[in-house]
Amino acid sequence: MCGIVGYIGTKRAYPILIKGLKRLEYRGYDSAGVAMIGDNGNLNVYKTKGKVDNLTEYCSDKDVTGCVGIAHTRWATHGEPSARNAHPHYSTSRNLAIIHNGIIENYAGIKAKLQANGVTFKSDTDTEVLVQLVEYIMDKKNLSLLEAVQVALHQVIGAYAIAIVDKRDPYQIIAARKQSPLVVGIGDSEFFLGSDASPIIDYTDKVVYLEDGNIAVIRVKSPNGENEDEGLKILSILGEEQELKVKKVDIDLGQIEKGGYSHFMLKEIFEQPECLQNCMRGRINVEGDNVTLSAMIDYRQQLLGAKRIIIVACGTSWHAGLIGKQLFEQLCRIPCEVEYASEFRYRNPVVNKDDVVIAISQSGETADTLAAIQLAKEQGAFIYGICNAIGSSIPRATDTGTYIHVGPEIGVASTKAFTGQVTVLSMLALCLAKERQTISDELYHSMVKELTLIPEKMEQTLKTNEQIERLAPIFTYAKNCLYLGRGYNYPLALEGALKLKEISYIHAEGYPAAEMKHGPIALIDSEMPVFVIATRDRLYEKVISNIQEVRARGGRVTALVTEGDQQIQKFADHVITLPDTLECFQPLIASIPLQLLAYHIAVCKGKDVDRPRNLAKSVTVE
Ligand code: F6R
């Protein structure tokens, strides 16, 4: 949700800012902009609607000099996507420019007061209100930029990660964070800012993750060496100096490049076997029959004492949670509820001290999931995080957790994070089941062994890519699609439908196959593609009956079946064959053809697969 980049040092800021924006485009891409204090001392702000490429084209004949600058790629909240509403925003005097990720909730009241005092506004955004407020305070109270920012931040309610420059002091950037991520990179006489570490890692591996309420004062020496206080200082909002916690980032640059694939999404689908190996590495022993999670060692008592598990998550992570529920109930016999974080946080839920709340999030920054954690914490629950982005806000807000370790996910549609989340949930459920003795040793060891075979079976499943690419054009005409599954395959039906919706813009619904006759069956006709996950499991015969119901109404069935299946071939229009595995691990395998289907259909329709309209990778606003 909006990407922030900043640079201050001895190099030209512009190329660093643009490269950083491209890395962060997954966070939002309805407009982009840069502000640099040029060699002639002017504060130049350039902004365009649309993607970063539009901005670079626009800047091709502009003054892009200067060694200090801030830049932004936007996902609109207040004010339509347009160059006018794009960041950075100037203050009235044009001395200051600001970039912001988040929402200033009380912006309307502040704006009205500023307007009453003669301040005029150029955009519809909440962000411009903040920069105008800072300037107003500076002028009115004769304060420095830092002091004015401190005063202003006391007045605003909401979430923010901000960076501000002042053309009268070109050796300084002031940044601050509350509930929106911000990272400062420390180089050699230079500093970087990013919403995450991806725009920084080309230059340094030393970073400081700002905490909520932190203000960063970043200063470099002027050419005549006048600036005594060069360096990075972290202050609290009250001005108290904070300890500088420098961390080392460990992201492989190759992991965030496309690596020969036409889209990040396709690359990330194909990476899944390796990702799951990384996810299990060091957790499943070399013999492949025992799982150890460090969280289970450190917090054994809290986890084994769980009377109930509550999973909070959004979107795809919520679908992974639905699979987790079945695992915890089936293997561990622990009651489990799965909640949309956005609903949970506002409905005064009953949370007990002996509940374990599991928060699942790829980005680790989803605002609703963070708020749900906060609420559960206040009620005394023990919080366990399952996240991908290292050092992000959710792992820092939880009591313990397990990273999925699938590497940066850049494609907006989540793929490898989903299978990574299901793998961690499977490992956790197996650990708990063993400790609680709710499954036999024999079953436990054989299940762990089967889990280690999943990457190999995924490799085999990826061979369906060509078949799916050939099938995809058949479905591009569709206005609606139905995805059906039962048991562990029901959340997968939801996930398959979500993937198709978000990147191809075809309406799709996931349904438990047997529920169909209670309503959705009325929709079925020969125009409606129906995708059925019909792998061989406990409910196989029942799913066959459900397929017959669809066929009887003229529906066109594409079925995902287990290898060797002879029956479904007879009445499905198309079958995609998958390797056999345990029922509870089937979603790990069957998710691949569903991801590939959505991908190829969207490509056939000419859609921007990695950056679908209206979406952002990291939803840091509620
Ligand atoms: C769908 C998708 C979203 C996210 C959701 C939660 O492909 O990516 O539905 O799953 O926004 O995001 P995280 O997992 O980062 O909390």
Side-chain angles (χ1 to χ4, degrees):
M1 211 95 321
C2 300
I4 282 184
V5 196
Y7 175 77
I8 184 163
T10 49
K11 301 190 184 102
R12 282 274 183 248
Y14 179 72
I16 296 172
L17 296 174
I18 294 296
K19 193 167 176 189
L21 283 186
K22 290 205 164 164
R23 290 264 164 82
L24 289 179
E25 238 182 341
Y26 71 86
R27 298 179 67 87
Y29 34 78
D30 60 48
S31 55
V34 279
M36 288 148 304
I37 304 176
D39 291 347
N40 59 5
N42 284 346
L43 176 55
N44 297 312
V45 173
Y46 308 120
K47 0 193 239 184
T48 51
K49 188 175 169 187
K51 296 178 180 152
V52 177
D53 286 340
N54 296 4
L55 178 68
T56 50
E57 205 181 310
Y58 177 76
C59 288
S60 59
D61 58 353
K62 302 283 183 298
D63 173 7
V64 291
T65 60
C67 301
V68 53
I70 52 178
H72 189 267
T73 174
R74 181 169 185 249
W75 187 83
T77 55
H78 293 70
E80 52 161 26
S82 65
R84 193 169 66 87
N85 287 329
H87 305 207
H89 291 283
Y90 275 127
S91 60
T92 301
S93 68
R94 295 192 162 218
N95 287 330
L96 309 181
I98 193 172
I99 49 173
H100 167 220
N101 169 27
I103 294 179
I104 307 297
E105 285 168 13
N106 59 339
Y107 81 104
I110 299 175
K111 186 172 181 174
K113 278 191 203 143
L114 290 170
Q115 281 170 325
N117 283 288
V119 179
T120 54
F121 287 82
K122 302 219 159 25
S123 76
D124 310 318
T125 64
D126 50 340
T127 305
E128 191 189 356
V129 173
L130 189 51
V131 73
Q132 298 286 25
L133 177 64
V134 170
E135 177 158 277
Y136 182 78
I137 294 168
M138 278 178 97
D139 293 348
K140 186 102 182 150
K141 305 199 168 173
N142 199 18
L143 295 179
S144 68
L145 176 62
L146 172 61
E147 290 163 335
V149 168
Q150 282 169 323
V151 175
L153 292 183
H154 274 103
Q155 295 184 22
V156 300
I157 299 170
Y160 51 78
I162 54 163
I164 308 190
V165 289
D166 182 340
K167 77 172 186 191
R168 294 159 297 185
D169 185 358
Y171 309 110
Q172 172 179 267
I173 300 180
I174 303 275
R177 115 157 224 172
K178 188 180 162 210
Q179 292 167 23
S180 289
L182 199 53
V183 187
V184 184
I186 306 174
D188 194 9
S189 301
E190 59 182 358
F191 296 90
F192 305 84
L193 268 177
S195 294
D196 64 35
S198 64
I200 298 174
I201 52 172
D202 296 272
Y203 314 100
T204 178
D205 61 358
K206 282 194 279 173
V207 297
V208 173
Y209 293 97
L210 295 196
E211 306 274 346
D212 269 355
N214 280 175
I215 299 180
V217 183
I218 309 167
R219 294 192 68 83
V220 291
K221 272 202 175 74
S222 62
N224 57 16
E226 266 170 11
N227 263 342
E228 296 285 290
D229 51 353
E230 177 205 22
L232 167 67
K233 233 194 257 172
I234 307 289
L235 306 175
S236 74
I237 197 164
L238 296 170
E240 297 136 349
E241 195 157 344
Q242 308 289 300
E243 186 197 344
L244 212 59
K245 293 184 198 148
V246 182
K247 300 244 162 76
K248 194 168 174 318
V249 264
D250 198 12
I251 304 178
D252 171 4
L253 207 54
Q255 285 180 313
I256 51 176
E257 305 290 354
K258 270 193 217 148
Y261 289 93
S262 39
H263 295 94
F264 281 112
M265 183 179 176
L266 192 61
K267 173 181 174 246
E268 287 159 5
I269 293 172
F270 271 83
E271 268 171 7
Q272 289 177 99
E274 195 190 334
C275 291
L276 291 210
Q277 262 158 358
N278 291 339
C279 178
M280 291 187 262
R281 182 163 301 126
R283 293 165 173 166
I284 296 188
N285 60 351
V286 276
E287 292 77 29
D289 62 358
N290 200 27
V291 192
T292 314
L293 293 178
S294 55
M296 268 301 286
I297 300 171
D298 300 341
Y299 296 94
R300 195 171 180 278
Q301 197 190 334
Q302 288 88 333
L303 294 171
L304 288 182
K307 293 271 183 303
R308 176 176 65 154
I309 292 175
I310 303 173
I311 297 178
V312 291
C314 304
T316 288
S317 300
W318 185 80
H319 296 155
L322 291 176
I323 295 170
K325 172 186 165 75
Q326 299 193 40
L327 287 163
F328 292 128
E329 294 193 339
Q330 185 201 333
L331 301 180
C332 319
R333 307 307 297 156
I334 305 175
C336 177
E337 288 162 26
V338 188
E339 299 264 3
Y340 283 119
S342 54
E343 290 295 314
F344 181 80
R345 65 181 289 193
Y346 285 118
R347 70 171 177 74
N348 193 13
V350 177
V351 182
N352 300 316
K353 292 201 171 33
D354 45 19
D355 287 335
V356 168
V357 169
I358 300 183
I360 308 177
S361 173
Q362 185 288 128
S363 62
E365 298 294 349
T366 301
D368 284 320
T369 309
L370 263 168
I373 290 172
Q374 200 50 43
L375 186 143
K377 240 184 185 174
E378 281 158 16
Q379 303 198 20
F382 184 77
I383 322 282
Y384 191 110
I386 298 180
C387 294
N388 190 31
I390 316 277
S392 55
S393 302
I394 292 177
R396 285 186 281 135
T398 47
D399 293 306
T400 187
T402 303
Y403 281 116
I404 61 175
H405 286 317
V406 299
E409 192 179 64
I410 308 293
V412 164
S414 191
T415 51
K416 61 179 183 171
F418 174 73
T419 47
Q421 291 162 347
V422 174
T423 304
V424 166
L425 287 162
S426 305
M427 289 192 290
L428 180 59
L430 283 164
C431 281
L432 284 170
K434 180 186 169 204
E435 296 283 330
R436 289 169 58 93
Q437 299 182 342
T438 43
I439 58 172
S440 68
D441 280 357
E442 198 189 346
L443 180 58
Y444 165 78
H445 291 305
S446 68
M447 287 187 77
V448 178
K449 270 221 166 338
E450 183 58 28
L451 190 56
T452 63
L453 298 179
I454 296 295
E456 214 176 295
K457 296 188 178 186
M458 280 181 148
E459 241 8 303
Q460 200 183 325
T461 310
L462 283 164
K463 296 198 178 118
T464 58
N465 183 43
E466 280 174 23
Q467 181 199 1
I468 294 170
E469 190 175 1
R470 280 196 306 275
L471 281 179
I474 305 174
F475 303 114
T476 48
Y477 73 89
K479 296 257 177 303
N480 301 287
C481 292
L482 202 56
Y483 286 72
L484 303 177
R486 299 187 72 161
Y488 282 95
N489 288 334
Y490 161 54
L492 199 57
L494 296 176
E495 176 58 8
L498 178 62
K499 289 288 88 92
L500 187 71
K501 274 187 269 214
E502 63 184 335
I503 59 170
S504 74
Y505 318 144
I506 295 174
H507 171 249
E509 282 200 58
Y511 247 86
E515 259 312 288
M516 206 189 34
K517 55 186 162 301
H518 300 287
I521 202 161
L523 295 169
I524 289 177
D525 61 18
S526 60
E527 308 270 286
M528 166 85 103
V530 182
F531 301 104
V532 189
I533 309 143
T535 47
R536 206 173 305 107
D537 57 26
R538 272 174 313 138
L539 296 168
Y540 174 72
E541 298 297 340
K542 308 231 175 268
V543 174
I544 292 187
S545 309
N546 301 138
I547 294 177
Q548 303 282 26
E549 289 158 12
V550 173
R551 290 291 293 170
R553 276 122 193 125
R556 303 244 159 250
V557 173
T558 301
L560 271 52
V561 302
T562 308
E563 58 194 352
D565 190 298
Q566 301 293 332
Q567 285 206 60
I568 295 177
Q569 315 252 11
K570 293 182 206 141
F571 37 78
D573 297 271
H574 311 285
V575 292
I576 298 168
T577 303
L578 308 176
D580 197 8
T581 185
L582 295 174
E583 187 174 328
C584 62
F585 301 147
Q586 196 62 65
L588 291 168
I589 308 271
S591 54
I592 288 183
L594 297 180
Q595 295 164 351
L596 286 169
L597 251 173
Y599 171 79
H600 287 297
I601 293 173
V603 169
C604 280
K605 294 191 76 171
K607 304 298 178 205
D608 188 346
V609 171
D610 284 333
R611 294 172 300 182
R613 71 184 180 205
N614 306 337
L615 293 179
K617 184 75 187 155
S618 182
V619 187
T620 54
V621 293
E622 64 167 293

